[in-house]
């Protein structure tokens, strides 16, 4: 079977992507070492963990040395931001959000390019609606996602043997979403957000698109009919 590496796989959207790819792919489950990651690997019999801190670049470089061929790389790991106005956002917040959401993604992609080229593989970037439109108090997060969009577009132009897909979901019903809504001071209504299973299905659909077609951008918005 083809091999897929999914970052941020221990819970939420990443775990759903892993579950939906498991029947057709050998899985490498990326994430910080945790009981949740180990449990998912046990649940998905035959899956292996890729338990690294993505911003520890020496650790990542060592971990990818054994990967000689990779069919699918799904960049799902990421962090939110503190939802401050630009005037109140400290430089540490900018560094943290951009490091996790953009720089670490670019470095993992760079390190895995030989394995992806070998397989003529597929890179999927789970972006965000914030990667297409920036709103007040979302500047660091939106900047990281606009940067992720640029990374995907450049990679697609530079690597003609690869397929590169950006997925732009609206807000998703996850633990991180609950935290963001609490920061915004609103009541949480899960029906107003996309289900992780629905976004995962879009990712899997892109991966399973026949090789004669190149799915480049997928935009998902919640309907409120969940």
């Amino acid at each position: 079977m083809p091999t897929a590496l999914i970052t941020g796989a221990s819970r939420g959207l990443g775990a759903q992507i892993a579950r939906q790819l498991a029947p057709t792919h050998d899985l490498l489950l990326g994430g910080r070492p945790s009981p949740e990651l180990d449990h998912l690997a046990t649940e998905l019999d035959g899956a292996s963990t890729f338990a690294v801190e993505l911003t520890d670049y020496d650790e990542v470089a060592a971990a990818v040395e054994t990967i000689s061929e990779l069919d699918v790389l799904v960049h799902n790991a990421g962090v939110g931001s503190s939802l401050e106005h630009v005037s109140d956002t400290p430089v540490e917040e900018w560094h943290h959000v951009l490091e996790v959401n953009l720089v670490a993604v670019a470095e993992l992609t760079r390190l895995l390019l030989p394995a992806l080229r070998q397989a003529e593989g597929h890179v999927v970037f789970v972006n965000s609606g914030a990667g297409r439109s920036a709103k007040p108090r979302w500047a660091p997060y939106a900047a990281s996602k606009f940067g992720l969009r640029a990374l995907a577009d450049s990679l697609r132009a530079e690597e003609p043997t690869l397929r590169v897909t950006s997925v732009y979901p609206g807000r998703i019903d996850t633990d991180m979403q609950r935290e963001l809504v609490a920061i915004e001071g609103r009541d949480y209504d899960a029906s107003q957000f996309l289900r992780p299973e629905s976004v995962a299905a879009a990712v899997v659909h892109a991966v399973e698109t026949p090789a004669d077609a190149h799915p480049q951008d997928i935009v998902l918005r919640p309907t409120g009919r969940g």
Side-chain angles (χ1 to χ4, degrees), residues 6 18 24 32 34-35 61 67 85 93 111 114 150 158 162 173 195 197 201-202 225:
I6 305 155
T24 56
R32 295 187 182 93
S34 68
I67 304 175
H85 292 95
E93 177 78 358
L111 291 169
E158 293 172 2
L162 305 184
D173 178 23
R195 293 187 298 118
E197 297 88 344
R225 300 196 297 269

Side-chain angles (χ1 to χ4, degrees), residues 27-221:
L27 298 181
L28 295 171
L29 305 175
R32 295 187 182 93
S34 68
E36 292 82 4
L37 192 66
D38 293 338
H39 177 76
L40 184 63
T42 301
E43 174 191 334
L44 304 177
D45 187 30
S48 301
T49 60
F50 184 80
V52 298
E53 172 55 65
L54 291 176
T55 57
D56 184 334
Y57 301 119
D58 290 338
E59 182 182 8
V60 173
V64 303
E65 284 182 353
T66 60
I67 304 175
S68 59
E69 188 168 336
L70 183 64
D71 299 275
V72 178
L73 171 59
V74 180
H75 287 293
N76 170 71
V79 294
S81 61
S82 58
L83 300 186
E84 300 286 350
H85 292 95
V86 172
S87 59
D88 298 321
T89 304
V91 68
E92 293 82 7
E93 177 78 358
W94 283 97
H95 278 296
H96 174 61
V97 175
L98 289 167
E99 182 82 13
V100 175
N101 290 356
L102 180 57
V103 178
V105 174
E107 178 63 359
L108 181 60
T109 303
R110 184 186 73 83
L111 291 169
L112 286 171
L113 271 177
L116 288 160
R117 290 170 181 151
Q118 182 65 29
E120 296 188 351
H122 194 159
V123 184
V124 180
F125 295 89
V126 178
N127 201 297
S128 166
R132 294 168 58 86
S133 176
K135 297 180 179 179
R137 299 174 65 195
W138 286 79
Y141 184 76
S144 72
K145 295 299 186 178
F146 267 75
L148 194 66
R149 178 182 182 179
L151 172 61
D153 290 348
S154 292
L155 182 68
R156 188 182 300 116
E158 293 172 2
E159 299 288 338
T161 67
L162 305 184
R163 294 198 296 179
V164 179
T165 303
S166 288
V167 181
Y168 299 93
R171 297 175 71 164
I172 307 170
D173 178 23
T174 62
D175 291 340
M176 186 172 77
Q177 196 65 244
R178 292 179 180 275
E179 295 169 4
L180 290 172
V181 170
I183 292 172
E184 292 171 330
R186 299 188 291 116
D187 292 331
Y188 194 84
D189 179 359
S191 69
Q192 299 304 305
F193 305 112
L194 291 162
R195 293 187 298 118
E197 297 88 344
S198 300
V199 181
V203 171
V204 173
H205 177 74
V207 169
E208 294 180 345
T209 299
D212 66 308
H214 190 159
Q216 296 188 358
D217 295 289
I218 299 172
V219 179
L220 302 173
R221 291 291 178 265

Side-chain angles (χ1 to χ4, degrees), residues 6 8-20 40 44 76:
I6 305 155
S10 61
R11 59 179 181 156
L13 175 58
Q16 289 299 329
I17 294 170
R19 290 186 178 103
Q20 293 188 31
L40 184 63
L44 304 177
N76 170 71

